[in-house]
PDB file of all heavy atoms in Angstrom:
ATOM      1  N   SER E1094     -67.645 125.704 308.652  1.00  0.00           N
ATOM      2  CA  SER E1094     -67.171 124.317 308.518  1.00  0.00           C
ATOM      3  C   SER E1094     -66.292 124.199 307.305  1.00  0.00           C
ATOM      4  O   SER E1094     -65.397 123.367 307.218  1.00  0.00           O
ATOM      5  CB  SER E1094     -68.411 123.325 308.503  1.00  0.00           C
ATOM      6  OG  SER E1094     -69.220 123.854 307.491  1.00  0.00           O
ATOM      7  N   CYS E1098     -62.662 122.606 307.395  1.00  0.00           N
ATOM      8  CA  CYS E1098     -62.294 121.573 306.473  1.00  0.00           C
ATOM      9  C   CYS E1098     -61.040 121.901 305.757  1.00  0.00           C
ATOM     10  O   CYS E1098     -60.125 121.049 305.534  1.00  0.00           O
ATOM     11  CB  CYS E1098     -63.426 121.362 305.391  1.00  0.00           C
ATOM     12  SG  CYS E1098     -64.813 120.412 306.038  1.00  0.00           S
ATOM     13  N   GLU E1115     -62.635  97.651 306.345  1.00  0.00           N
ATOM     14  CA  GLU E1115     -62.510  96.265 306.925  1.00  0.00           C
ATOM     15  C   GLU E1115     -62.414  95.295 305.816  1.00  0.00           C
ATOM     16  O   GLU E1115     -63.051  95.352 304.806  1.00  0.00           O
ATOM     17  CB  GLU E1115     -63.730  96.054 307.909  1.00  0.00           C
ATOM     18  CG  GLU E1115     -63.772  97.010 308.978  1.00  0.00           C
ATOM     19  CD  GLU E1115     -64.990  96.821 309.897  1.00  0.00           C
ATOM     20  OE1 GLU E1115     -65.994  96.111 309.456  1.00  0.00           O
ATOM     21  OE2 GLU E1115     -65.006  97.436 310.987  1.00  0.00           O
ATOM     22  N   ARG E1288     -74.571  98.097 302.422  1.00  0.00           N
ATOM     23  CA  ARG E1288     -75.537  98.333 303.483  1.00  0.00           C
ATOM     24  C   ARG E1288     -75.348  97.272 304.625  1.00  0.00           C
ATOM     25  O   ARG E1288     -75.691  97.564 305.756  1.00  0.00           O
ATOM     26  CB  ARG E1288     -76.923  98.164 302.882  1.00  0.00           C
ATOM     27  CG  ARG E1288     -78.109  98.342 303.686  1.00  0.00           C
ATOM     28  CD  ARG E1288     -79.364  98.276 302.891  1.00  0.00           C
ATOM     29  NE  ARG E1288     -80.514  98.225 303.812  1.00  0.00           N
ATOM     30  CZ  ARG E1288     -81.074  97.089 304.190  1.00  0.00           C
ATOM     31  NH1 ARG E1288     -80.705  95.939 303.730  1.00  0.00           N
ATOM     32  NH2 ARG E1288     -82.141  97.155 305.052  1.00  0.00           N
ATOM     33  N   ASN E1304     -76.054  77.384 306.364  1.00  0.00           N
ATOM     34  CA  ASN E1304     -77.402  77.640 305.740  1.00  0.00           C
ATOM     35  C   ASN E1304     -77.686  79.134 305.893  1.00  0.00           C
ATOM     36  O   ASN E1304     -77.682  79.646 307.006  1.00  0.00           O
ATOM     37  CB  ASN E1304     -78.457  76.855 306.463  1.00  0.00           C
ATOM     38  CG  ASN E1304     -78.376  75.353 306.074  1.00  0.00           C
ATOM     39  OD1 ASN E1304     -77.585  74.949 305.142  1.00  0.00           O
ATOM     40  ND2 ASN E1304     -79.228  74.556 306.774  1.00  0.00           N
ATOM     41  N   GLN E1346     -74.114  98.603 296.249  1.00  0.00           N
ATOM     42  CA  GLN E1346     -74.326  99.290 295.033  1.00  0.00           C
ATOM     43  C   GLN E1346     -73.522  98.541 293.892  1.00  0.00           C
ATOM     44  O   GLN E1346     -72.334  98.516 293.940  1.00  0.00           O
ATOM     45  CB  GLN E1346     -73.808 100.736 295.162  1.00  0.00           C
ATOM     46  CG  GLN E1346     -73.724 101.500 293.875  1.00  0.00           C
ATOM     47  CD  GLN E1346     -74.947 101.767 293.119  1.00  0.00           C
ATOM     48  OE1 GLN E1346     -75.899 102.276 293.725  1.00  0.00           O
ATOM     49  NE2 GLN E1346     -74.973 101.529 291.838  1.00  0.00           N
ATOM     50  N   GLN E1349     -70.447  98.898 286.995  1.00  0.00           N
ATOM     51  CA  GLN E1349     -70.642  98.706 285.559  1.00  0.00           C
ATOM     52  C   GLN E1349     -70.085  97.371 285.120  1.00  0.00           C
ATOM     53  O   GLN E1349     -68.977  96.995 285.684  1.00  0.00           O
ATOM     54  CB  GLN E1349     -69.951  99.799 284.757  1.00  0.00           C
ATOM     55  CG  GLN E1349     -70.489 101.267 284.943  1.00  0.00           C
ATOM     56  CD  GLN E1349     -71.778 101.401 284.147  1.00  0.00           C
ATOM     57  OE1 GLN E1349     -72.178 100.607 283.268  1.00  0.00           O
ATOM     58  NE2 GLN E1349     -72.505 102.542 284.412  1.00  0.00           N
ATOM     59  N   ASP E1357     -60.984  92.506 287.919  1.00  0.00           N
ATOM     60  CA  ASP E1357     -59.957  91.983 288.922  1.00  0.00           C
ATOM     61  C   ASP E1357     -60.454  90.891 289.697  1.00  0.00           C
ATOM     62  O   ASP E1357     -59.733  89.944 290.002  1.00  0.00           O
ATOM     63  CB  ASP E1357     -59.448  93.148 289.831  1.00  0.00           C
ATOM     64  CG  ASP E1357     -58.686  94.252 289.066  1.00  0.00           C
ATOM     65  OD1 ASP E1357     -58.200  93.921 287.956  1.00  0.00           O
ATOM     66  OD2 ASP E1357     -58.549  95.402 289.520  1.00  0.00           O
TER      67      ASP E1357
ATOM     68  N   CYS O1039     -66.289 116.691 304.761  1.00  0.00           N
ATOM     69  CA  CYS O1039     -65.840 117.786 303.895  1.00  0.00           C
ATOM     70  C   CYS O1039     -66.315 117.468 302.455  1.00  0.00           C
ATOM     71  O   CYS O1039     -66.653 118.366 301.728  1.00  0.00           O
ATOM     72  CB  CYS O1039     -64.343 118.034 303.963  1.00  0.00           C
ATOM     73  SG  CYS O1039     -63.858 118.533 305.576  1.00  0.00           S
ATOM     74  N   GLN O1042     -69.771 118.202 301.710  1.00  0.00           N
ATOM     75  CA  GLN O1042     -70.073 119.588 301.730  1.00  0.00           C
ATOM     76  C   GLN O1042     -69.727 120.319 300.352  1.00  0.00           C
ATOM     77  O   GLN O1042     -70.534 121.100 299.901  1.00  0.00           O
ATOM     78  CB  GLN O1042     -69.239 120.269 302.828  1.00  0.00           C
ATOM     79  CG  GLN O1042     -69.607 121.725 303.108  1.00  0.00           C
ATOM     80  CD  GLN O1042     -68.722 122.338 304.185  1.00  0.00           C
ATOM     81  OE1 GLN O1042     -67.542 122.346 304.019  1.00  0.00           O
ATOM     82  NE2 GLN O1042     -69.355 122.579 305.300  1.00  0.00           N
ATOM     83  N   ASP O1073     -68.026 104.525 288.177  1.00  0.00           N
ATOM     84  CA  ASP O1073     -68.324 103.238 287.572  1.00  0.00           C
ATOM     85  C   ASP O1073     -69.521 102.430 288.224  1.00  0.00           C
ATOM     86  O   ASP O1073     -69.721 101.285 288.136  1.00  0.00           O
ATOM     87  CB  ASP O1073     -67.130 102.274 287.418  1.00  0.00           C
ATOM     88  CG  ASP O1073     -66.395 102.004 288.721  1.00  0.00           C
ATOM     89  OD1 ASP O1073     -66.866 102.549 289.761  1.00  0.00           O
ATOM     90  OD2 ASP O1073     -65.466 101.244 288.769  1.00  0.00           O
ATOM     91  N   THR O1084     -80.257 103.543 292.209  1.00  0.00           N
ATOM     92  CA  THR O1084     -79.460 102.284 291.971  1.00  0.00           C
ATOM     93  C   THR O1084     -80.212 101.456 290.916  1.00  0.00           C
ATOM     94  O   THR O1084     -81.358 101.204 291.008  1.00  0.00           O
ATOM     95  CB  THR O1084     -79.333 101.493 293.234  1.00  0.00           C
ATOM     96  OG1 THR O1084     -78.536 102.296 294.163  1.00  0.00           O
ATOM     97  CG2 THR O1084     -78.488 100.248 292.985  1.00  0.00           C
ATOM     98  N   HIS O1113     -62.694 100.407 292.712  1.00  0.00           N
ATOM     99  CA  HIS O1113     -61.332 100.937 293.005  1.00  0.00           C
ATOM    100  C   HIS O1113     -61.461 102.497 293.064  1.00  0.00           C
ATOM    101  O   HIS O1113     -60.567 103.093 293.663  1.00  0.00           O
ATOM    102  CB  HIS O1113     -60.344 100.520 291.878  1.00  0.00           C
ATOM    103  CG  HIS O1113     -60.115  99.099 291.818  1.00  0.00           C
ATOM    104  ND1 HIS O1113     -60.025  98.293 292.907  1.00  0.00           N
ATOM    105  CD2 HIS O1113     -59.953  98.242 290.706  1.00  0.00           C
ATOM    106  CE1 HIS O1113     -59.881  97.015 292.507  1.00  0.00           C
ATOM    107  NE2 HIS O1113     -59.822  97.022 291.150  1.00  0.00           N
ATOM    108  N   ASN O1164     -78.287  79.008 309.891  1.00  0.00           N
ATOM    109  CA  ASN O1164     -77.403  78.504 310.947  1.00  0.00           C
ATOM    110  C   ASN O1164     -76.040  79.093 310.955  1.00  0.00           C
ATOM    111  O   ASN O1164     -75.157  78.569 311.541  1.00  0.00           O
ATOM    112  CB  ASN O1164     -77.391  76.956 310.950  1.00  0.00           C
ATOM    113  CG  ASN O1164     -76.703  76.364 309.741  1.00  0.00           C
ATOM    114  OD1 ASN O1164     -76.181  77.146 308.914  1.00  0.00           O
ATOM    115  ND2 ASN O1164     -76.660  75.096 309.669  1.00  0.00           N
ATOM    116  N   ARG O1190     -69.494  94.615 316.017  1.00  0.00           N
ATOM    117  CA  ARG O1190     -67.997  94.701 315.895  1.00  0.00           C
ATOM    118  C   ARG O1190     -67.371  95.253 317.141  1.00  0.00           C
ATOM    119  O   ARG O1190     -66.212  95.001 317.440  1.00  0.00           O
ATOM    120  CB  ARG O1190     -67.655  95.634 314.806  1.00  0.00           C
ATOM    121  CG  ARG O1190     -68.156  95.153 313.393  1.00  0.00           C
ATOM    122  CD  ARG O1190     -67.867  96.098 312.288  1.00  0.00           C
ATOM    123  NE  ARG O1190     -68.434  97.471 312.679  1.00  0.00           N
ATOM    124  CZ  ARG O1190     -68.185  98.598 312.069  1.00  0.00           C
ATOM    125  NH1 ARG O1190     -67.402  98.640 311.100  1.00  0.00           N
ATOM    126  NH2 ARG O1190     -68.758  99.754 312.479  1.00  0.00           N
ATOM    127  N   THR O1206     -77.986 101.230 308.447  1.00  0.00           N
ATOM    128  CA  THR O1206     -78.818 100.219 307.756  1.00  0.00           C
ATOM    129  C   THR O1206     -80.215 100.271 308.265  1.00  0.00           C
ATOM    130  O   THR O1206     -81.248 100.195 307.532  1.00  0.00           O
ATOM    131  CB  THR O1206     -78.191  98.856 307.948  1.00  0.00           C
ATOM    132  OG1 THR O1206     -76.835  98.961 307.630  1.00  0.00           O
ATOM    133  CG2 THR O1206     -78.824  97.826 307.024  1.00  0.00           C
TER     134      THR O1206
END
Side-chain angles (χ1 to χ4, degrees):
Chain E
S1094 54
C1098 282
E1115 295 175 348
R1288 181 177 171 263
N1304 290 351
Q1346 164 68 48
Q1349 295 284 350
D1357 291 340
Chain O
C1039 295
Q1042 186 180 64
D1073 56 357
T1084 300
H1113 298 320
N1164 67 3
R1190 300 173 304 167
T1206 309

